[in-house]
């Protein structure tokens, strides 16, 4: 079975609706809030990091709400926060602002740019949005399946 089809496999792709959790954490039950899904206890450094990320992606006030009731944009921001909570050195983002309104899209892009500068986070981002591409320090354009020079 490929890892992306097995919800118990920690290598499975993150899906906003079904697999929003750090690797190795239990599958979240319906009705779980963002903290519970991210495997956060009531204290500790990880909770502080997650809380800071939830503030930055504008989900703090919704942290205890049922994820199944989140809009597409809220789920997208929750997935971004979940990925960043794992403190990666590389983030691959396919249209990270695609489901977001302008204000939340800008918040996410500013957060990613800040983490690129301060934590040396490498970001590979695919986007059709010129305003998102403008945040990149290096851009490659693709046309008809080929990179343009």
């Amino acid at each position: 079975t490929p890892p992306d089809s097995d919800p118990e496999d920690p290598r499975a792709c993150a899906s906003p609706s079904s697999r929003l959790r750090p690797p190795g954490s239990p599958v979240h039950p319906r009705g779980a809030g963002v903290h519970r899904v991210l495997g956060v206890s009531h204290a500790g450094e990880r909770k502080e990091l997650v809380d800071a990320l939830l503030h930055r992606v504008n989900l703090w006030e919704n942290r205890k709400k049922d994820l199944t009731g989140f809009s597409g944009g809220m789920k997208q921001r929750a997935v971004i926060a979940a990925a960043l909570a794992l403190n990666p050195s590389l983030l691959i983002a396919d249209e990270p602002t695609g489901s977001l309104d302008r204000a939340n899209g800008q918040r996410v892009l500013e957060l990613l740019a800040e983490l690129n500068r301060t934590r040396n986070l490498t970001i590979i981002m695919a986007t059709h949005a010129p305003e998102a591409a403008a945040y990149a320090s290096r851009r490659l354009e693709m046309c008809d399946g080929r990179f343009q020079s």
Side-chain angles (χ1 to χ4, degrees):
T1 308
D4 62 347
S5 65
D6 180 2
E8 294 301 318
D9 192 317
R11 297 170 296 159
C13 297
S15 164
S17 61
S18 64
R19 290 187 212 92
L20 176 59
R21 69 188 194 291
S25 65
V27 176
H28 67 276
R30 268 184 100 68
V34 178
H35 273 159
R36 186 166 176 197
V37 171
L38 293 176
V40 175
S41 64
H42 293 290
E45 186 176 314
R46 182 169 166 79
K47 182 180 182 300
E48 290 177 22
L49 171 63
V50 170
D51 285 350
L53 289 168
L54 291 175
H55 274 289
R56 294 295 301 273
V57 299
N58 200 24
L59 283 176
W60 171 252
E61 293 179 4
N62 297 296
R63 70 191 178 282
K64 295 182 181 180
K65 291 186 179 176
D66 180 356
L67 292 173
T68 59
F70 276 20
S71 69
M74 292 170 78
K75 288 177 183 176
Q76 188 167 12
R77 289 181 283 140
V79 167
I80 291 168
L84 295 173
L86 297 173
N87 234 351
S89 58
L90 171 67
L91 179 70
I92 300 174
D94 183 9
E95 297 286 357
T97 60
S99 297
L100 305 182
D101 60 51
R102 185 178 303 249
N104 282 311
Q106 186 172 350
R107 288 184 115 169
V108 166
L109 292 170
E110 288 171 359
L111 173 61
L112 296 178
E114 177 185 319
L115 294 175
N116 172 255
R117 283 189 314 274
T118 62
R119 294 190 187 163
N120 205 25
L121 173 65
T122 299
I123 302 164
I124 298 173
M125 177 173 54
T127 185
H128 291 93
E131 58 276 4
Y135 279 83
S137 58
R138 181 173 179 213
R139 289 177 285 286
L140 298 173
E141 290 189 34
M142 185 177 272
C143 181
D144 298 327
R146 296 183 186 267
F147 286 107
Q148 305 297 300
S149 54

